[in-house]
Amino acid sequence: MFSGLLVCADCGSKLGYHFNQANHDITYFNCMGYNRGSRKICTSTHYIRTDFLEQVILGEIKRLMKFATLYENEFAKIVMGNSIKTAEQERRAKQKELNSLIARDKELDLLFEKIYEDNTLGRISDDRFSKLSVKYETEQKENEAKINELQAELDNE
């Protein structure tokens, strides 16, 4: 359950899941940077047994539950504060994506005008103009749908 979540405190390499060769019930995580051929990143094996890790995590969950029980209002404020921060970050990301899509929409309008002029002046063939115009129109329709969706989500929030 911890695979991909654990990293070495010293070198930042991922901790890999392993089991004891003699007793498959004993499982552990160890630093992947310790024994990488000639590129040893870590000088020590850095390992943690899975059963010990589970005990530590369970202890932290119990400690958090005790805090939540004893200080319910403070805990609620902390959780709500984190939720508000997360929601604000998501809103900013959506706004950034929306601005990017709006800018691309304007850029596509300019590109379409340019290929129209190039086609009129004979710089590009009618066949090439058709392919490019279809491509730009398709992208613009997809962007328009995303813009409307993001705008609705932001308005909802």
Side-chain angles (χ1 to χ4, degrees), residues 100-113 136 140:
S100 173
L101 288 169
I102 290 171
R104 179 63 181 163
D105 189 57
K106 290 177 183 176
E107 185 180 352
L108 286 170
D109 283 337
L110 293 173
L111 288 171
F112 193 79
E113 285 178 25
Y136 290 154
Q140 206 163 27

Side-chain angles (χ1 to χ4, degrees), residues 47-106:
Y47 79 95
I48 185 167
R49 285 182 47 156
T50 307
D51 56 345
F52 177 74
L53 185 61
E54 288 171 351
Q55 288 174 358
V56 170
I57 298 296
L58 184 60
E60 286 300 305
I61 291 171
K62 286 179 180 178
R63 188 180 65 79
L64 182 62
M65 291 300 298
K66 186 176 182 179
F67 176 82
T69 303
L70 293 174
Y71 305 101
E72 189 174 341
N73 291 336
E74 289 83 354
F75 182 75
K77 287 178 185 175
I78 292 169
V79 171
M80 285 179 19
N82 287 336
S83 297
I84 290 169
K85 285 180 188 175
T86 302
E88 181 62 25
Q89 288 173 343
E90 289 175 3
R91 189 196 64 73
R92 272 192 241 118
K94 286 178 185 178
Q95 186 64 50
K96 185 177 179 181
E97 184 181 0
L98 178 64
N99 293 342
S100 173
L101 288 169
I102 290 171
R104 179 63 181 163
D105 189 57
K106 290 177 183 176

